[in-house]
């Protein structure tokens, strides 16, 4: 299913250990830090309506003060959305407006996922506040009301335990098993925590999530990258401020990746060859299909 994740800002203040922010910030450089509302609306005007807009990307969406206006814009434009948020940066006014928007456009909301701070301290930049706790309580009540198609909550802790400051709320979550985002996470930051080691695929590979490599991430300067693994900015698809959506895919940005992925060998030139999500394929006996 095609999706476009919006990275609303660069340099997420939450600094989660499983999220390689330093690498991203260093490679992105001094480009515009926050997605402006004007640039966001230009980008969205290029995107076909069957592409889901994800408020997730490589930073907490509400670390950008315009996030609620952005959400309103895409819902009013008729897009389906998915929201992955820590609620960081969300004021009480934002909370009321966001929940009201989700209620009004409930048929367009495919996922609401709340990412909570955990007992192992993986969300380094999080601090408790009464406003945060009230926002969390309101979103949990809304999620559990049954109005949404899919409501979920998570931590980055193998035990699923939330931060000590929140344990009085009695929230019990499932365990988390991390990964290295195809080799981009600095493993010393996650220490001994359970995670899938970075694989090396020596066969041809395809992405099971995006047959056309169209689960992309858009940065505040309009640059579009392969997917949510690409914190190393290795595979640029194009730029949605300067190109059209299909023009971007036809511009050849992904052709080297596709050629590498076709070949039955390991290659550092393809992020997919170190991705634990990739599907491994080989030529079938009849040569009619890959298996
Ligand atoms: S890196 Fe992984 S998730 Fe991204 S396109 Fe390749 S296989 Fe898919």
């Amino acid at each position: 299913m095609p999706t476009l994740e919006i990275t609303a800002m660069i340099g997420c203040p939450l600094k989660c250990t499983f999220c390689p922010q330093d690498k991203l910030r260093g490679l992105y450089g001094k480009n515009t830090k926050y997605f402006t509302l004007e640039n966001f609306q230009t980008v969205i005007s290029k995107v076909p309506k069957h592409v889901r807009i994800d408020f997730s990307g490589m930073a907490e969406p509400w670390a950008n003060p315009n996030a609620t206006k952005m959400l309103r814009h895409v819902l009013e434009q008729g897009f389906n959305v998915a929201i992955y948020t820590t609620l960081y940066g969300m004021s009480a006014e934002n909370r009321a407006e966001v929940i009201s928007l989700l209620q009004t456009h409930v048929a367009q909301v495919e996922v609401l996922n709340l990412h909570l701070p955990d007992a192992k301290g993986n969300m380094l930049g999080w601090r408790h506040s009464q406003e945060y706790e009230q926002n969390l309580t309101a979103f949990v009540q809304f999620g559990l009301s049954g109005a949404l198609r899919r409501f979920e909550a998570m931590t980055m802790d193998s035990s699923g335990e939330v931060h000590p400051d929140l344990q009085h709320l009695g929230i019990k979550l499932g365990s988390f098993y991390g990964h290295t985002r195809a080799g981009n996470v600095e493993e010393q930051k996650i220490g001994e925590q359970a995670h899938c080691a970075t694989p090396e695929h020596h066969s041809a590979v395809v992405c099971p999530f995006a047959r056309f490599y169209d689960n992309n991430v858009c940065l505040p300067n309009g640059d579009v990258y392969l997917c949510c693994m690409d914190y190393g900015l290795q595979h640029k698809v194009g730029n949605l401020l300067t190109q059209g959506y299909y023009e971007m895919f036809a511009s050849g940005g992904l052709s080297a990746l596709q050629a590498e992925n076709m070949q039955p060998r390991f290659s550092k030139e393809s992020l997919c060859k170190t991705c634990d999500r990739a599907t491994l394929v080989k030529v079938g006996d009849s040569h009619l299909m890959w298996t």
Side-chain angles (χ1 to χ4, degrees), residues 4 12 35-36 65 87 90 107 119 130 148 160 162-163 192 201 215 232 238 243 248 254 265 274 290:
L4 185 68
C12 183
F35 230 133
T36 65
L87 306 177
M90 198 181 277
Q130 282 309 314
L148 295 169
V162 297
H163 191 281
E192 299 298 311
H201 302 310
N215 271 190
Q243 293 172 295
M248 182 178 71
L254 291 183
R265 64 170 194 192
T274 53
W290 292 90

Side-chain angles (χ1 to χ4, degrees), residues 153-181:
M154 59 166 283
T155 68
M156 286 184 166
D157 190 319
S158 57
S159 73
E161 265 188 59
V162 297
H163 191 281
D165 289 351
L166 298 176
Q167 286 179 1
H168 64 279
L169 296 174
I171 296 173
K172 301 273 180 234
L173 299 174
S175 62
F176 173 80
Y177 192 68
H179 58 79
T180 68
R181 294 200 179 266

Side-chain angles (χ1 to χ4, degrees), residues 125-225:
W126 181 82
R127 298 289 176 274
H128 181 269
S129 72
Q130 282 309 314
E131 187 174 59
Y132 167 84
E133 194 169 311
Q134 286 162 2
N135 289 349
L136 175 62
T137 303
F139 271 93
V140 169
Q141 280 173 356
F142 173 57
L144 294 179
S145 71
L148 295 169
R149 255 187 274 181
R150 190 171 141 202
F151 169 65
E152 52 200 30
M154 59 166 283
T155 68
M156 286 184 166
D157 190 319
S158 57
S159 73
E161 265 188 59
V162 297
H163 191 281
D165 289 351
L166 298 176
Q167 286 179 1
H168 64 279
L169 296 174
I171 296 173
K172 301 273 180 234
L173 299 174
S175 62
F176 173 80
Y177 192 68
H179 58 79
T180 68
R181 294 200 179 266
N184 279 314
V185 169
E186 295 164 52
E187 297 206 43
Q188 74 269 20
K189 284 200 173 168
I190 54 179
E192 299 298 311
Q193 297 186 72
H195 68 279
C196 176
T198 307
E200 276 193 9
H201 302 310
H202 293 264
S203 61
V205 294
V206 293
C207 179
F209 291 87
R211 184 170 292 194
F212 304 114
Y213 297 104
D214 54 1
N215 271 190
N216 308 124
V217 177
C218 186
L219 306 186
N221 65 353
D223 282 350
V224 174
Y225 283 88

Side-chain angles (χ1 to χ4, degrees), residues 17-33:
T17 55
F18 281 92
C19 188
Q21 286 296 315
D22 292 346
K23 187 170 200 175
L24 172 65
R25 202 169 41 229
L27 290 164
Y28 184 75
K30 296 198 184 308
N31 281 300
T32 175
K33 181 174 174 179

Side-chain angles (χ1 to χ4, degrees), residues 182 206-209 213 226-227 229 271-272 275 277-278:
V206 293
C207 179
F209 291 87
Y213 297 104
L226 177 65
C227 69
M229 303 291 167
L271 189 61
C272 304
C275 177
R277 290 186 177 173

